[in-house]
Amino acid sequence: MFTLIIEDKYGAIVDEYSFEDGEFVIGRSQSCDIVLAADNVSRRHARLFTVEGRCYIEDLNAANGIWLNGKRIYNVTELPRSAQVRIGDFYLHIEGAAFARPMGSSTYAHLVPVHGGAEAFELNRATTLIGRGKDCTLVINDPSVSRIHTKITQDDDGRVVVEDLRSSNGTYVNERRIDVQDLRHGDRVRFGTVGFVFQVEGETEAPVPEPWQEPAPSPHAASASGFRPAAPISSYGDAFPDYYEQQQPPERSSMLPQVAAVAVIVLAITGLVVIVGFAYDRWISPAISASEAQRDEGEGAADMKAKAAALEAKRAKRLKEYDELLEKGREAMNGRQWDKAERAYKEARRLDPTESKPTKALNRITAEKKAGARFVKAEAAFAAKTYGEAIRQHQLIPKESVYRADADAALKAIAGVLELDGDTACKAGDTKLCKERYSLALSTRFASQALEDKYADLLKKAAAPPPKKKRRRGRRGRRRGR
């Protein structure tokens, strides 16, 4: 159950509505479901509707727009809990709206920026659009990112899939350009030149890598080759000098040649270690990485093709079902089967809430239902001979309605009936009733020229002064006159 409270710019409550399902047109026109009488509100400003227990609002190309929680929106937007919507000078408070639909399974993930400086983005929707455009869920203001760059979706079985939407600079997962790819915890995702790490809630935390830079040479390359640097003489402590003194010949000779030899050996070993490490980093390590990548690609190529084919088949099936529902709705509307058409278009909108065709059709169905109800009221009023109400209900039917032609035919018939009643009243001398019937007939806009002439003559007679009566003289007056 949703509750809509409307306040004016002074904070006074103007109206309050409670609803569970349906759709409502908001605007300045008296034909709208919710009327906001203000100059800065368009005639048909916004549309409020529900789908599967969630509440949405749509801007109907209003001049002053719609503001949700202080931010202007431009397309169909789902309302969060305790939403505040501003339309013109009015504030609409919607209570009871659910949060945006969570992801389909227990998987709850984040996109963590690689270089920091920004908060992690929560992937808590079934579909997340990423790009530079304002209508995307995750907006990235970077020239390397397309307006609508990538889409991340979660299937009902919990798989998170990233799909490139024909972007200029591509989408990369672990430095491989992809079209469609499943995401796993720790995967590196890049949109153009902007990188993120995909992390799943509850998985073991991993340090954020720097995937777009060449790895620095390992400071432990020498130890990886199996060589160890020679320990300096000072590491032997006091025991070595005692032993050395015991072994010295009686006449001590210079130690310079021995020291030089040790230094040459150390330098040779160090140079060999550096050469081996450089060769490993330059040729051996890339070759191993390329081999492993080819092996992984070979193993996963068939699986990726199968997943892509399944996703394409699912998309084609949904598109076919969507087109069939649109055709079914059109046929029902042509036959004025409004309830049947409404069910078809609501199901089509559930398949794709962002498409405008079902929404426009549902608006038309709502208007036609109202027009049909007015036509029925007019016919009932005519049967009860309350001609004024019948004329009013017929004239309220919009010009673009399919009931407009029927209403015009009925008004023409009412004008004929009222003209006959007026003629009868005039012959009977009931000028008041005659004038009333002629006036009602003329208000239908289908009265004949003859009726207009008769009504004009009737008004002239009513406006003319009554004839003066001649005074008769008595005998006495006549005699005096003589």
Side-chain angles (χ1 to χ4, degrees):
M1 176 68 70
F2 300 96
T3 301
L4 171 62
I5 300 174
I6 303 176
E7 295 181 355
D8 60 14
K9 61 182 179 181
Y10 303 107
I13 296 178
V14 177
D15 213 335
E16 183 175 343
Y17 299 88
S18 295
F19 59 95
E20 186 171 359
D21 191 14
E23 54 186 27
F24 310 91
V25 177
I26 304 171
R28 192 177 70 245
S29 173
Q30 294 297 323
S31 63
C32 293
D33 302 303
I34 300 175
V35 180
L36 302 180
D39 293 337
N40 53 6
V41 178
S42 300
R43 293 184 69 256
R44 291 170 57 83
H45 198 109
R47 185 173 69 93
L48 189 71
F49 63 95
T50 59
V51 177
E52 295 182 351
R54 289 175 292 159
C55 193
Y56 296 83
I57 193 166
E58 179 186 9
D59 187 352
L60 300 179
N61 297 322
N64 295 316
I66 300 173
W67 300 80
L68 173 59
N69 294 335
K71 183 178 180 182
R72 185 166 181 174
I73 59 174
Y74 296 90
N75 52 2
V76 177
T77 302
E78 184 175 353
L79 294 177
R81 188 183 303 275
S82 300
Q84 183 192 68
V85 179
R86 180 166 66 86
I87 296 178
D89 291 335
F90 296 90
Y91 291 88
L92 283 65
H93 302 272
I94 295 99
E95 298 289 343
F99 284 114
R101 184 176 62 177
M103 301 180 80
S105 70
S106 60
T107 302
Y108 189 83
H110 300 79
L111 286 178
V112 181
V114 169
H115 298 291
E119 297 182 357
F121 180 78
E122 296 182 356
L123 298 174
N124 59 356
R125 292 175 176 267
T127 301
T128 301
L129 288 179
I130 300 171
R132 201 175 66 248
K134 293 182 180 180
D135 50 350
C136 292
T137 312
L138 172 56
V139 179
I140 303 175
N141 292 319
D142 190 274
S144 66
V145 179
S146 299
R147 191 180 69 83
I148 300 179
H149 196 106
T150 307
K151 179 174 69 174
I152 296 179
T153 58
Q154 179 180 349
D155 293 341
D156 295 335
D157 55 0
R159 292 188 304 117
V160 180
V161 181
V162 59
E163 179 182 357
D164 184 73
L165 301 179
R166 298 180 180 179
S167 61
S168 300
N169 296 313
T171 301
Y172 295 80
V173 176
N174 296 328
E175 285 306 287
R176 290 192 307 179
R177 186 163 184 169
I178 57 95
D179 292 327
V180 180
Q181 172 78 40
D182 283 1
L183 289 180
R184 295 175 296 179
H185 176 71
D187 280 348
R188 298 167 299 181
V189 186
R190 177 159 60 90
F191 314 115
T193 60
V194 182
F196 295 86
V197 174
F198 177 75
Q199 292 186 355
V200 179
E201 188 81 7
E203 297 287 344
T204 304
E205 293 291 336
V208 177
E210 297 286 346
W212 345 119
Q213 300 177 359
E214 289 294 331
S218 174
H220 304 292
S223 62
S225 63
F227 293 93
R228 294 180 180 271
I233 295 176
S234 60
S235 63
Y236 289 96
D238 297 334
F240 183 81
D242 294 340
Y243 175 78
Y244 181 73
E245 290 175 359
Q246 293 174 7
Q247 300 297 324
Q248 292 298 318
E251 294 182 2
R252 297 181 62 182
S253 60
S254 174
M255 294 292 295
L256 186 58
Q258 289 85 346
V259 173
V262 172
V264 170
I265 294 172
V266 171
L267 289 174
I269 294 174
T270 304
L272 181 61
V273 169
V274 171
I275 292 172
V276 171
F278 176 78
Y280 181 83
D281 290 339
R282 184 66 179 83
W283 293 292
I284 300 174
S285 179
I288 294 174
S289 300
S291 176
E292 291 178 352
Q294 290 178 358
R295 183 188 62 194
D296 294 341
E297 185 175 358
E299 291 176 353
D303 188 30
M304 284 302 303
K305 288 181 180 179
K307 290 178 180 178
L311 184 62
E312 187 63 29
K314 184 177 180 181
R315 186 181 303 163
K317 180 181 178 182
R318 178 166 291 190
L319 181 61
K320 181 180 178 182
E321 184 179 356
Y322 176 80
D323 292 338
E324 290 176 351
L325 287 170
L326 289 184
E327 182 61 28
K328 183 178 179 181
R330 279 192 292 268
E331 292 177 356
M333 287 183 68
N334 291 335
R336 298 188 182 183
Q337 298 174 341
W338 307 121
D339 292 336
K340 183 178 179 181
E342 186 176 29
R343 288 193 296 269
Y345 282 116
K346 281 186 176 181
E347 183 65 19
R349 187 176 62 185
R350 186 189 66 80
L351 291 177
D352 191 353
T354 62
E355 182 62 36
S356 60
K357 288 182 180 179
T359 300
K360 292 179 180 179
L362 288 171
N363 290 339
R364 173 77 185 280
I365 291 170
T366 301
E368 293 296 350
K369 279 187 173 182
K370 289 182 179 180
R374 291 188 186 281
F375 188 83
V376 172
K377 288 181 180 179
E379 292 296 304
F382 178 74
K385 295 186 178 181
T386 53
Y387 300 115
E389 178 64 16
I391 293 171
R392 190 180 74 86
Q393 291 294 339
H394 279 310
Q395 290 178 339
L396 286 175
I397 295 175
K399 293 181 180 179
E400 61 273 11
S401 173
V402 297
Y403 292 99
R404 184 66 262 172
D406 298 339
D408 290 342
L411 286 171
K412 192 172 183 180
I414 292 173
V417 171
L418 289 172
E419 184 177 1
L420 290 176
D421 286 355
D423 293 342
T424 303
C426 285
K427 290 179 181 179
D430 192 346
T431 306
K432 182 178 179 181
L433 180 60
C434 177
K435 184 178 178 182
E436 178 185 344
R437 291 292 188 260
Y438 284 168
S439 176
L440 282 175
L442 289 171
S443 68
T444 63
R445 297 179 291 106
F446 290 96
S448 63
Q449 184 62 42
L451 176 61
E452 293 181 4
D453 296 339
K454 287 188 285 186
Y455 186 68
D457 292 340
L458 185 64
L459 293 179
K460 287 180 181 179
K461 290 179 181 179
K468 294 182 178 181
K469 295 182 178 180
K470 293 183 179 181
R471 296 179 61 185
R472 296 180 62 187
R473 290 183 177 183
R475 273 185 180 178
R476 185 177 300 177
R478 288 197 297 270
R479 288 177 182 176
R480 289 178 181 176
R482 290 177 184 175

